[in-house]
Structure formats: structure tokens, C-alpha cells
Amino acid sequence: HAPEKVSLYLKMGEIHNRLKSADEAKKDFEKALKVYADFGDDEGKEAEARTYVDIGFVLGEENEIKTHIDQAMVAVRKMNNPIAEANTLRYIGNKLQRRWQMGPTSRPDFASEPKRAADFYAQALTLYHASPESRIKQAETLTDLGTINLQIDKSAALDHFQKAYDLYTDKED
């Protein structure tokens, strides 16, 4: 039930943050991180990195998001696992894409969110590409990149969708 526990800690942290109870929010976020840290395996470490990202987005301020993304990347890079790092980069791209789709809500960086998401997807693709066994992850990330590029560059979106299709339909050697 680790994901459910983490989700509840994040929700409680969000409420405490909104109530201006920074110390309580920090305790909730530390508990959320501890759930996965206690696993001690690679899956737990990767989930811990995603939790850093989630905390940044729960806090919502651009500097908090950046700080927590940086913490996530430090945590996942300690694993020396390019697929886990790519998964985390893609997760960040997905978070940015979902945030952008919710509308501007007076965020100063709203206009740059699609490009930032595309940058994280591109970094993830580079890492996935180096691991031939990650063809499906590559295709999924190309689909994500195509979706966000519908807002940026429609011809690039078509190219990404075609490459994803090719990976999905390519016969394995």
C-alpha cells in the first residue's frame, strides 16, 4: 500500500501548506519520502525520486518545483540506472504537461511549460535509446513528445507519432 500512503501524505502536506503550517507540511513530505526510502531497493529509490517531483508540484511555486526536480534527479542518478533516470525525466515531463493543460491560473511560467516538458521527454528518449530493451518506453515517450508538440510544432508532433508507430509495429530481431 506504499503508493496509497504516499498519496495521503502528499494530500495532508498540501493541506498543511495551504493552511500556512509549513512545519507540518514538511513533516508530511518527509513521511512520504520515508515510505519509499525504507524499501532500500531500486524500485523504492525510483519511487522516492518521483515523490520529490510530486512534492514540488504540490507546493506549486516555480522555485519549489525546480528545487524538488533537482533533488529527484540527484536521487535517481545515484542509482546509476539510465532506465530509472529516463522514467523519472518522463514523469517530470508528464507532470509539466498535465499542469500546463489545466490552464494558466496566473502562473508566470505557464507559456514555457510545453517546451520544458518536451525538454524532459527528449532527455528521457536519449537514455531510453541507449537501452534497446526499452523500445516500448521509447514509443510511449515519443507519443508523449508528440502530444506536447501539438502545441509547439505540429510537424514535429507528426514525426514523433510516426516514430512511435514504427517502434510499436517493428518486429523484434
Side-chain angles (χ1 to χ4, degrees), residues 93-106:
N94 287 340
K95 295 292 275 192
L96 283 165
Q97 181 175 356
R98 278 194 295 280
R99 182 176 185 204
W100 180 81
Q101 288 173 332
M102 290 183 344
T105 63
S106 306

Side-chain angles (χ1 to χ4, degrees), residues 37-101:
D38 286 349
F39 281 31
D41 62 3
D42 279 359
E43 192 176 321
K45 286 181 175 76
E46 187 177 339
E48 183 182 351
R50 284 193 310 269
T51 303
Y52 277 115
V53 175
D54 290 337
I55 291 168
F57 279 88
V58 164
L59 292 171
E61 296 292 325
E62 199 55 43
N63 63 329
E64 291 285 356
I65 291 171
K66 183 182 179 338
T67 296
H68 284 84
I69 285 174
D70 291 346
Q71 288 177 301
M73 296 313 298
V74 165
V76 79
R77 286 180 178 137
K78 285 181 185 173
M79 295 172 59
N80 255 347
N81 180 335
I83 297 299
E85 184 176 342
N87 291 343
T88 302
L89 289 162
R90 182 171 172 222
Y91 187 75
I92 296 165
N94 287 340
K95 295 292 275 192
L96 283 165
Q97 181 175 356
R98 278 194 295 280
R99 182 176 185 204
W100 180 81
Q101 288 173 332

Side-chain angles (χ1 to χ4, degrees), residues 1-171:
H1 299 292
E4 293 83 1
K5 285 181 182 177
V6 169
S7 177
L8 288 171
Y9 283 133
L10 291 171
K11 287 175 180 163
M12 289 186 294
E14 180 177 15
I15 292 167
H16 283 124
N17 189 53
R18 287 182 181 180
L19 295 173
K20 307 289 185 224
S21 301
D23 289 343
E24 289 300 315
K26 186 177 183 203
K27 286 179 194 170
D28 292 326
F29 295 143
E30 286 169 358
K31 289 177 186 173
L33 288 166
K34 187 174 175 0
V35 169
Y36 289 123
D38 286 349
F39 281 31
D41 62 3
D42 279 359
E43 192 176 321
K45 286 181 175 76
E46 187 177 339
E48 183 182 351
R50 284 193 310 269
T51 303
Y52 277 115
V53 175
D54 290 337
I55 291 168
F57 279 88
V58 164
L59 292 171
E61 296 292 325
E62 199 55 43
N63 63 329
E64 291 285 356
I65 291 171
K66 183 182 179 338
T67 296
H68 284 84
I69 285 174
D70 291 346
Q71 288 177 301
M73 296 313 298
V74 165
V76 79
R77 286 180 178 137
K78 285 181 185 173
M79 295 172 59
N80 255 347
N81 180 335
I83 297 299
E85 184 176 342
N87 291 343
T88 302
L89 289 162
R90 182 171 172 222
Y91 187 75
I92 296 165
N94 287 340
K95 295 292 275 192
L96 283 165
Q97 181 175 356
R98 278 194 295 280
R99 182 176 185 204
W100 180 81
Q101 288 173 332
M102 290 183 344
T105 63
S106 306
R107 287 192 313 273
D109 293 330
F110 172 75
S112 70
E113 286 172 354
K115 171 141 183 26
R116 289 173 46 221
D119 289 343
F120 282 107
Y121 290 142
Q123 291 175 60
L125 267 177
T126 300
L127 292 168
Y128 285 139
H129 190 68
S131 301
E133 71 278 5
S134 68
R135 254 185 43 246
I136 297 303
K137 294 259 186 207
Q138 288 178 52
E140 292 169 348
T141 306
L142 282 162
T143 301
D144 294 336
L145 193 51
T147 301
I148 199 71
N149 267 321
L150 286 171
Q151 309 304 321
I152 303 169
D153 179 347
K154 288 184 179 26
S155 64
L158 278 173
D159 183 53
H160 291 116
F161 289 143
Q162 183 61 53
K163 286 178 182 172
Y165 178 82
D166 293 345
L167 282 169
Y168 280 127
T169 57
D170 192 27
K171 301 288 182 251

